[in-house]
Amino acid sequence: MERTLRDILEWVVLGLLVVVGVLLALWVGGWVFTFLGKVLLALSGLIWTLLVYTIPVLIVAAIGYGVIYLLQRRTSERS
C-alpha cells in the first residue's frame, strides 16, 4: 500500500494536533496543581496557626481542670 503525499501530510497534521492537545492539557494541569498547591499551603498555614494558639490554651485548661478536680476531691474527703 503506497502512501500519497496527502496521506503523509494528514498524519503529520494529526500528530501535531495530538502533541498540541497533550501540551495544552499539561499546561492546564500545571495551573490546576499550582492553584491546589496554594490552597493547600494556605490551609496548612491556618492549621498551624490554630495549633499554635489552641495547644497552650488546652494545656492551661487541663491544668485548671486538674486543680479544680483535686480541690473538689479534697473537700469531699473532709465531709
Side-chain angles (χ1 to χ4, degrees):
M1 182 171 166
E2 192 167 317
R3 304 226 186 255
T4 64
L5 181 60
R6 181 177 177 174
D7 290 337
I8 294 172
L9 287 176
E10 285 176 355
W11 280 106
V12 168
V13 169
L14 183 63
L16 289 174
L17 285 175
V18 168
V19 168
V20 168
V22 168
L23 289 176
L24 182 65
L26 288 173
W27 181 71
V28 170
W31 277 102
V32 167
F33 281 116
T34 300
F35 175 73
L36 285 176
K38 288 181 182 180
V39 168
L40 291 175
L41 189 63
L43 183 63
S44 68
L46 176 67
I47 291 171
W48 179 256
T49 303
L50 287 173
L51 288 175
V52 164
Y53 291 112
T54 56
I55 288 178
V57 169
L58 289 175
I59 291 172
V60 169
I63 291 172
Y65 176 79
V67 168
I68 291 173
Y69 175 77
L70 289 175
L71 288 176
Q72 285 181 348
R73 196 170 129 196
R74 191 180 281 179
T75 56
S76 66
E77 288 177 357
R78 290 183 182 172
S79 305

